[in-house]
Amino acid sequence: MSDTMYFGGVEGGATHSNLVICDHTGKVCGQAKGPGTNHWALGIETCALRIIAMLREAKKDAGIPFDVPLDSLGLTLSGCEQDSSNAELASRVLERDGSSARAVYVASDTAGSLFTGAPEGGMVLIAGTGSNALLRTADGKQYGCGGWGYLLGDEGGAYWIAHKAVKTVFDDVDGLRPSPHPTDRVWEVIKEHFGAETRADLLPHAYKHFDKSHFAGLTARLSRLAAAGDELSAHLFACAGAALGAHVAALCARARSPRVRVVCVGSVWHSWAALRPGMLGQLRHRQVSTELELVRLRVSSALGAAGLAARHVHRHLPRDDRAFCDVFYTYQPTATDDDHPNDHSNDHTNDHSNGHPNGHQNGLQRGCGCSGWGDWSQ
């Protein structure tokens, strides 16, 4: 074992986490799964203990004794945006298990996803329960957009879509703001998801018993409705696409590059066909002139975290880009939505948008209650 170096990486979200251990050739030797590792929700201590528990399980899987430290361990976790708290978490892991690793590197989950899909620079756009975007330029500069949580941001994420669906129904019934499309089918799936009969039955789910992940789970049902042709559901996903497109446009202004790879992470991207009209409309409204290569990861971003950990100790892990990600859409600034030869979204059998190559365009060119897709939040 003395001739082999080991590098660990953690992909940590709010609800679940993955840990891998790679040797110096990039081969995965051990892995483990665990619960969420967002220290803002758990506290530094609990977060550190969960990481150590996963690390020991992965060491056992790899046949590495617990008292043999990894050469480095990379933690790319949800909520790790501040240098001070990142340093505290790294220290706590080493304090609680001195044999965990010789060095611990902590960064955000966006950094892990970005390094997995675009190690030499690019953009990551997360659309899971929440949303977040990060750009890393070729010279190493980093810029973020969004990622401020469900109260101050998360536009285009699953919770945002679910909340927008419920609010649309409430406002339509009240006469406060008429829905742009019939609400019947959306209201039915809302009632099914929350076990409700009336709007008042939703109040405990929004306040006393609020669970962001459960609330966001409504979006999977809305995705199926959009795929079945429901206009309001398709409209909601188009609005989400426009919101995500706004993140991309904001960071493209800082990229100063004619071509940028965008690593698309999160369950919302399974509904690409429904997101596409809004996203493309927003990119054209913002006059984005950058060519964009949208890719999906084929592996856990824990591998990117391991690569970052290796780089932290001045080592390099070999990788095969084709094994790590694949391209599902190429945005050409001069193309139109009717002409998209580089759209490979229907090549993926697990993509919930299969069978809808036109992205539910009928009735959606009006945008999200505004012209030109400019105000996607309406």
Side-chain angles (χ1 to χ4, degrees):
M1 290 186 61
S2 59
D3 295 330
T4 304
M5 299 186 72
Y6 293 99
F7 307 95
V10 178
E11 169 196 18
T15 56
H16 59 83
S17 305
N18 295 306
L19 188 150
V20 300
I21 297 175
C22 300
D23 64 17
H24 59 278
T25 69
K27 177 185 176 182
V28 175
C29 304
Q31 50 192 320
K33 295 183 181 295
T37 46
N38 184 312
H39 71 81
W40 292 112
L42 302 169
I44 295 290
E45 179 72 14
T46 299
C47 182
L49 292 176
R50 287 186 176 186
I51 289 165
I52 291 168
M54 283 192 294
L55 177 58
R56 290 178 177 175
E57 183 180 341
K59 280 185 173 180
K60 182 178 180 180
D61 186 44
I64 302 172
F66 291 163
D67 60 353
V68 174
L70 303 185
D71 290 276
S72 62
L73 174 64
L75 311 178
T76 57
L77 314 178
S78 170
C80 286
E81 310 287 346
Q82 294 182 325
D83 290 341
S84 57
S85 56
N86 290 357
E88 183 181 355
L89 177 58
S91 297
R92 193 65 58 87
V93 169
L94 292 172
E95 288 172 5
R96 293 291 177 264
D97 184 356
S99 299
S100 58
R102 294 188 175 90
V104 177
Y105 174 80
V106 183
S108 69
D109 54 345
T110 50
S113 298
L114 179 58
F115 195 81
T116 306
E120 303 308 319
M123 190 185 305
V124 61
L125 184 53
I126 295 177
T129 300
S131 66
N132 199 359
L134 177 73
L135 170 73
R136 184 176 184 275
T137 61
D139 58 1
K141 293 181 180 178
Q142 291 193 169
Y143 304 94
C145 181
W148 299 111
Y150 74 99
L151 289 178
L152 298 177
D154 280 354
E155 295 88 350
Y159 172 77
W160 185 89
I161 295 170
H163 177 270
K164 194 171 182 66
V166 173
K167 190 71 167 70
T168 298
V169 171
F170 274 48
D171 289 352
D172 185 69
V173 175
D174 285 344
L176 178 65
R177 188 173 194 171
S179 171
H181 302 286
T183 63
D184 306 67
R185 297 177 70 185
V186 167
W187 176 232
E188 285 302 317
V189 299
I190 290 173
K191 289 192 294 182
E192 290 172 7
H193 182 74
F194 292 104
E197 289 298 329
T198 69
R199 289 186 295 159
D201 294 335
L202 294 180
L203 296 182
H205 296 282
Y207 298 103
K208 186 176 181 179
H209 303 300
F210 174 69
D211 181 331
K212 184 177 66 172
S213 295
H214 178 62
F215 209 106
L218 170 64
T219 299
R221 296 173 183 258
L222 296 172
S223 174
R224 291 191 287 271
L225 269 189
D230 178 64
E231 288 186 301
L232 179 55
S233 299
H235 172 84
L236 293 168
F237 274 91
C239 288
L244 296 172
H247 286 72
V248 174
L251 292 179
C252 279
R254 298 176 178 272
R256 297 179 181 177
S257 174
R259 182 181 178 89
V260 172
R261 171 175 282 191
V262 182
V263 183
C264 302
V265 179
S267 59
V268 174
W269 288 106
H270 291 310
S271 300
W272 165 242
L275 295 171
R276 184 176 61 197
M279 172 171 267
L280 299 187
Q282 182 68 199
L283 294 175
R284 295 196 177 98
H285 174 77
R286 297 280 289 263
Q287 299 182 342
V288 173
S289 59
T290 308
E291 181 178 317
L292 304 171
E293 183 182 62
L294 275 60
V295 305
R296 290 187 181 92
L297 294 182
R298 302 182 65 182
V299 297
S300 167
S301 60
L303 284 169
L308 280 171
R311 180 173 289 190
H312 182 60
V313 293
H314 309 293
R315 296 288 178 173
H316 172 75
L317 287 185
R319 55 167 277 156
D320 179 356
D321 188 67
R322 293 170 298 178
F324 273 50
C325 58
D326 53 24
V327 180
F328 70 91
Y329 188 84
T330 302
Y331 170 77
Q332 301 284 355
T334 57
T336 67
D337 195 23
D338 296 325
D339 180 23
H340 40 79
N342 296 311
D343 188 346
H344 308 295
S345 59
N346 290 321
D347 294 342
H348 304 275
T349 57
N350 292 326
D351 189 335
H352 295 173
S353 64
N354 284 354
H356 300 274
N358 294 322
H360 310 292
Q361 292 174 17
N362 293 337
L364 287 176
Q365 293 305 316
R366 288 170 289 175
C368 303
C370 61
S371 61
W373 299 92
D375 188 359
W376 42 263
S377 65
Q378 298 301 309

